[in-house]
Amino acid sequence: MVSQKVTIKNPTGLHLRPAGILCKEAMQFKSHVTFRYRENTANAKSVLSVLGACIKSGDEIELVCEGEDEKEALTTIVTAIENGLGE
């Protein structure tokens, strides 16, 4: 298991479009990909789970990847978030 904290930079947070991009990135990997925000854990491969977490701009989440390609998954997803998820 690997994890890393990352701050959401999107001005409008994780609304539908960036949530979809996050899920698309996570679904490339076999590893189980989740993130923690406050006391909640969300499945990064589920758009509804990501949207339900209500992540706003400036919020810090902790990505957690567990599986055979966990390190590559973590690096790819963190990079996508830091690059603004297409925005």
Side-chain angles (χ1 to χ4, degrees), residues 41-85:
T41 300
N43 178 357
K45 294 184 179 184
S46 164
V47 175
L48 289 176
S49 186
V50 173
L51 290 173
C54 299
I55 307 297
K56 308 279 186 264
S57 180
D59 288 345
E60 184 178 71
I61 63 172
E62 182 180 10
L63 281 166
V64 180
C65 301
E66 192 169 0
E68 59 189 75
D69 53 2
E70 60 190 22
K71 290 180 183 172
E72 184 183 349
L74 183 67
T75 302
T76 300
I77 296 167
V78 166
T79 300
I81 291 171
E82 289 177 343
N83 290 334
L85 293 167

Side-chain angles (χ1 to χ4, degrees), residues 9-60:
K9 296 180 179 177
N10 299 61
T12 54
L14 290 183
H15 61 85
L16 188 57
R17 190 177 326 114
I21 293 170
L22 176 64
C23 291
K24 184 178 175 185
E25 292 290 335
M27 287 170 48
Q28 296 179 63
F29 301 98
K30 294 178 182 176
S31 295
H32 186 64
V33 183
T34 60
F35 65 85
R36 294 186 203 128
Y37 175 65
R38 296 186 180 157
E39 307 86 42
N40 300 321
T41 300
N43 178 357
K45 294 184 179 184
S46 164
V47 175
L48 289 176
S49 186
V50 173
L51 290 173
C54 299
I55 307 297
K56 308 279 186 264
S57 180
D59 288 345
E60 184 178 71

